[in-house]
Amino acid sequence: MTAAASTVLTARALLLDMDGTLVNSDAVVERIWRRWAAQHGLDGDEVMKVVHGRQGHASMALLLPGRPVEQNLADNTRLLAEETADMDGVVAVPGAPEFLASLRGLPHALVTSADVPLSTARMAAAGLTLPEVRITAESVGASKPDPEGFLKGAAELGVAPADCVVFEDSGAGIAAGKAAGMRVVGIGPRAGVHGPDVVVPDLTQVRVEALEGGGISLHVG
């Protein structure tokens, strides 16, 4: 669904994906995953349809069914190290610095499929401040589209899932937010086809207002 002139959502906490939502890391993701695809005789375009939003080993399990879990985990560790060492082309999504600045003092958390080293490096490369509450790959037992990460983020903030709004760009992430019982704002070109509650091109289209009593008013679009 596309935003009309402006959609207003009220929440008590915001849960933010990183890649594609706050940070544009598409260049490095494409480089590393297309190289991995070639090494395994897979079509790069098909691989790129799967990998956004998921932990690497979860993507590998879908792309190479029947391959031992241990092999996927080992491969994932190697790819994470490659991604953490490659910050070429990593930039902030338009509006992200101002958006994060507007959340100071309001309940929000980062919920990312990246691990701690990768999320720390990418946010720094994009010149963005890390939220105090962070749910990373190390925090969960199941990757998006499982809702575990978003539910943990809500629990850490002490806010009911129904009172949270998720910001996401990928199909896996939007599905995770929906499965957690949360409303989802889709960010960027990937988001629209996956049924978020509202979608905008980037974070310049989002305005945050603190409400009396601790609520948050989101003006989207």
Side-chain angles (χ1 to χ4, degrees):
M1 185 171 74
T2 303
S6 182
T7 298
V8 180
L9 300 173
T10 304
R12 300 197 74 81
L14 307 183
L15 301 177
L16 317 173
D17 173 52
M18 181 181 72
D19 291 300
T21 300
L22 298 172
V23 173
N24 183 343
S25 55
D26 281 4
V28 62
V29 172
E30 289 264 347
R31 274 197 298 277
I32 284 173
W33 278 99
R34 285 186 182 277
R35 189 162 64 227
W36 181 88
Q39 290 165 355
H40 293 85
L42 298 172
D43 180 86
D45 290 342
E46 294 305 311
V47 167
M48 295 315 301
K49 290 176 185 175
V50 171
V51 299
H52 291 291
R54 291 183 170 85
Q55 290 185 36
H57 63 84
S59 296
M60 293 170 192
L62 289 172
L63 292 161
L64 295 174
R67 194 165 84 141
V69 172
E70 296 74 21
Q71 212 172 330
N72 291 339
L73 291 172
D75 240 10
N76 186 52
T77 300
R78 179 174 59 79
L79 260 60
L80 280 170
E82 287 180 24
E83 288 187 90
T84 305
D86 185 353
M87 291 295 134
D88 189 23
V90 173
V91 295
V93 165
E98 297 81 3
F99 175 68
L100 286 170
S102 74
L103 296 183
R104 285 192 196 114
L106 299 175
H108 67 287
L110 188 73
V111 182
T112 176
S113 293
D115 63 4
V116 168
L118 181 57
S119 57
T120 303
R122 279 195 180 152
M123 290 287 281
L128 299 176
T129 305
L130 276 165
E132 283 184 28
V133 177
R134 301 186 285 275
I135 306 297
T136 61
E138 296 93 338
S139 312
V140 298
S143 167
K144 299 172 186 177
D146 191 281
E148 181 186 358
F150 287 125
L151 292 172
K152 281 200 167 177
E156 277 215 32
L157 294 170
V159 175
D163 290 327
C164 295
V165 170
V166 164
F167 284 73
E168 266 286 0
D169 72 301
S170 71
I174 291 166
K178 291 285 191 183
M182 301 172 182
R183 290 155 294 156
V184 181
V185 175
I187 305 294
R190 274 191 294 272
V193 298
H194 299 291
D197 294 279
V198 60
V199 60
V200 287
D202 56 44
L203 290 165
T204 64
Q205 303 293 303
V206 180
R207 186 167 61 83
V208 177
E209 185 185 349
L211 300 175
E212 283 187 35
I216 300 168
S217 179
L218 290 170
H219 299 258
V220 185

